[in-house]
Amino acid sequence: MSIPSGAPVAVPQVPEAVHRRRWAILAVLMFSLLIVVLDNSILNVAVKTIASPSPTGLGATQSELEWAINSYTLVFAGLLFTAGLLGDRLGRKKILLLGIVLFGLGSAFAAMSGSPGELIAWRAVMGFGAAFVMPATLAVLMNVFERDEQPKAIGIWAGSVGLGIAIGPITGGLLLEHFWWGSIFLVNVPVVVVALIAMAVLVPDSRDPKPGRLDPVGVVLSVIGLVLLVYGIIRGGELADFTDVSVLLPVVGGLAVLVVFVLHEKRSSSPAIDISYFRKPAFSAAVAAVALVFFALMGVTFFSAFYMQSVRGWSALQSGLLILPLAVAQMVFAPRARFVVDRFGARAVCTVGMLLVAGGLAAFALFDATTPVWVMCVVFFVQGTGMAHVMPPVTVAVMQALPREKAGSGSAVNNTFRQVGGALGIAVLGSVLSAVYRGDIEGHLDAVPAAARDVAGESIEATLGVAEKMGPAGTPLVAAAQDAFMGAMHVTAVGSACVALIGAIVVALFLPGRPPAGQPVAQDERAVPVKA
């Protein structure tokens, strides 16, 4: 059968040798992503252990625990955009290998930390490495799969996040039951070695063939602006006060620098990122959805560890097993989300997904100290199902809005909004949790020695520590601490659900709906006119 003149015919953009091993390459990319996700999910179940006095833990305070998480986030978010640009310019494979080496070294030294300060510093090194890993994995994926297979590959890529969420807490619980707390970081080292070997053998290098002139001013402005903004957000969460000068100065300064960055990029003849992409409602709605869903989820993830371990009294391993339904839902549904999108459109699917996330978060407001385990499993499954129908479609929307050669920049934008949203979630929702908890517990601290009252009111873990030292006299304080924490968690859960609802409204208004039946394929990089 002859091909009509001018008919669009798909022309492969990926070399045949690379195309043949694309699924093996995806497996390696998932393995690389896994170690980054696994590390954070392991740390979430270990916060209680690290807060314990030596030799069990490091005796970290609530503030130090937050910085052990946020030092990683601060460096990660600050460098993501720069790492994506360097990958486009220097080669994504080189950047990926560099990031994994740094992540492995940071993990090894973090395991040997002798103080909370050392742990915070090495976590920052791990964040530096992870900033080069995350955008490179997605950028490589976009360059080894043809456009029609990219949604499927991105769904599988997103499902690997669920695998990390599942393996992390369970692995962390097992390690903490049999080894010292540092083993949760040391376990990354052999994974890094295997990933390095697999990458060197399988993963092809790629870069932007026409990167243009370097934009050092834009790069520096993006780093300074993101670091200041994220630091101010974290500082606000630490102080539980966003009106403090030490919070307002970096936040306002960061926003001002980012405004200058945008103005510079709009006027630059060789911009680091084309700001015009944000004029597309679908692109802007997609990155906003990424930020909002992680804002809501990260705050809840942080306090749910304390609910399960400090209120319910479960071990780190038991707490990890309870998150398994969320991970299973992501692994099952994320790779299949494209089928639902094909049938109903990204707008409907992502809106329902955000509503499911909001419903799961709101359910935390109904939890108490006797909530059945099966109810919690259902809630976590609903949350995972919702995320599985949000993250792949919005990631596809972001990545396919940019040319293939700018994949590193697109991935960096996607992940930067995710990290900033997550940092905001931990800081803002953590501040709400802390403020409500302190307000409720202060009336029950009369029996506590005056010198210890301020510390006792800092968090449930601090209150329980003081109560334990008081012996039998501290028993009423334990019950009061658990009640105060439950009240604070309920308020925070409602706030999280409201943020997810805002995300649902954003995607319902601005993401594209289902394309009309029989709509022709656009003549983009997939298709060129061919004559018979």
Side-chain angles (χ1 to χ4, degrees):
M1 181 176 178
S2 62
I3 301 173
S5 177
V9 176
V11 175
Q13 299 289 313
V14 180
E16 180 60 27
V18 174
H19 183 73
R20 283 198 304 267
R21 64 177 192 269
R22 65 195 185 282
W23 297 111
I25 293 170
L26 178 59
V28 175
L29 297 177
M30 289 171 58
F31 200 57
S32 306
L33 179 65
L34 181 64
I35 62 173
V36 176
V37 177
L38 180 133
D39 177 74
N40 271 337
S41 57
I42 282 181
L43 186 58
N44 284 333
V45 300
V47 289
K48 187 175 184 295
T49 303
I50 295 173
S52 303
S54 180
T56 302
L58 293 175
T61 64
Q62 180 81 5
S63 174
E64 288 169 335
L65 285 174
E66 289 183 8
W67 271 108
I69 294 173
N70 288 327
S71 63
Y72 178 97
T73 303
L74 179 65
V75 177
F76 192 7
L79 291 177
L80 268 171
F81 186 69
T82 301
L85 290 174
L86 289 175
D88 286 344
R89 175 172 290 273
L90 303 177
R92 286 120 191 180
K93 181 177 181 177
K94 297 182 185 69
I95 292 299
L96 186 55
L97 291 170
L98 171 65
I100 291 197
V101 169
L102 289 174
F103 187 87
L105 289 173
S107 298
F109 284 107
M112 306 302 172
S113 299
S115 67
E118 288 182 22
L119 177 61
I120 291 169
W122 289 116
R123 284 279 297 165
V125 173
M126 294 170 68
F128 192 101
F132 286 82
V133 172
M134 184 71 83
T137 59
L138 192 50
V140 171
L141 181 154
M142 297 299 289
N143 279 273
V144 299
F145 284 91
E146 299 292 354
R147 191 175 178 87
D148 58 341
E149 282 191 321
Q150 286 171 0
K152 179 180 180 181
I154 288 174
I156 296 172
W157 179 87
S160 67
V161 175
L163 183 61
I165 292 172
I167 294 175
I170 297 170
T171 304
L174 287 170
L175 290 171
L176 291 172
E177 285 195 357
H178 296 92
F179 304 100
W180 94 114
W181 64 267
S183 61
I184 66 170
F185 299 111
L186 200 60
V187 73
N188 292 333
V189 176
V191 180
V192 163
V193 172
V194 174
L196 281 172
I197 295 171
M199 265 184 270
V201 174
L202 290 172
V203 176
D205 205 359
S206 62
R207 68 180 74 188
D208 186 348
K210 298 179 180 178
R213 291 183 294 106
L214 189 63
D215 182 21
V217 175
V219 169
V220 171
L221 287 173
S222 70
V223 172
I224 293 174
L226 286 170
V227 168
L228 283 174
L229 175 62
V230 175
Y231 172 80
I233 292 167
I234 292 170
R235 180 65 176 163
E238 182 182 4
L239 297 177
D241 180 8
F242 282 83
T243 62
D244 190 88
V245 175
S246 65
V247 176
L248 289 176
L249 282 179
V251 167
V252 174
L255 290 173
V257 172
L258 290 175
V259 169
V260 174
F261 167 72
V262 171
L263 294 175
H264 170 77
E265 294 301 290
K266 290 175 70 175
R267 296 175 182 176
S268 174
S269 59
S270 183
I273 183 171
D274 191 344
I275 300 299
S276 65
Y277 285 111
F278 285 92
R279 296 174 187 164
K280 300 178 181 180
F283 182 86
S284 296
V287 293
V290 170
L292 290 170
V293 74
F294 272 87
F295 178 101
L297 192 69
M298 288 301 290
V300 172
T301 301
F302 183 70
F303 69 66
S304 65
F306 288 98
Y307 165 69
M308 290 187 282
Q309 295 183 48
S310 299
V311 176
R312 302 303 296 264
W314 294 324
S315 68
L317 176 58
Q318 290 170 324
S319 300
L321 289 170
L322 278 171
I323 301 176
L324 195 58
L326 184 148
V328 169
Q330 285 202 55
M331 287 187 290
V332 170
F333 293 116
R336 295 167 174 79
R338 70 189 190 283
F339 298 125
V340 189
V341 172
D342 288 344
R343 181 168 183 179
F344 298 104
R347 179 190 301 162
V349 173
C350 290
T351 301
V352 173
M354 290 295 288
L355 290 174
L356 288 175
V357 172
L361 295 171
F364 273 88
L366 304 176
F367 285 5
D368 57 29
T370 60
T371 299
V373 170
W374 71 265
V375 173
M376 296 178 62
C377 289
V378 169
V379 169
F380 279 126
F381 187 83
V382 168
Q383 282 183 317
T385 302
M387 286 193 68
H389 288 89
V390 173
M391 297 312 298
V394 297
T395 302
V396 169
V398 171
M399 296 304 297
Q400 292 195 342
L402 276 69
R404 186 193 293 269
E405 62 269 15
K406 301 294 184 184
S409 300
S411 178
V413 169
N414 181 68
N415 286 295
T416 296
F417 273 80
R418 189 178 81 165
Q419 287 302 315
V420 171
L424 268 170
I426 292 175
V428 175
L429 298 178
S431 298
V432 172
L433 183 76
S434 177
V436 176
Y437 177 80
R438 184 179 285 274
D440 288 348
I441 198 63
E442 279 181 349
H444 301 276
L445 300 178
D446 295 338
V448 177
R453 284 177 190 170
D454 189 56
V455 174
E458 186 181 271
S459 67
I460 183 172
E461 202 58 39
T463 308
L464 294 177
V466 170
E468 185 178 356
K469 293 178 181 177
M470 292 172 63
T475 302
L477 186 58
V478 172
Q482 293 178 343
D483 288 342
F485 181 85
M486 293 304 303
M489 187 180 80
H490 292 162
V491 172
T492 309
V494 171
S496 302
C498 289
V499 171
L501 284 175
I502 293 172
I505 294 171
V506 169
V507 297
L509 291 176
F510 299 110
L511 277 188
R514 183 184 178 188
Q519 178 174 305
V521 179
Q523 289 193 13
D524 55 15
E525 65 175 352
R526 301 171 57 195
V528 295
V530 177
K531 293 184 179 181

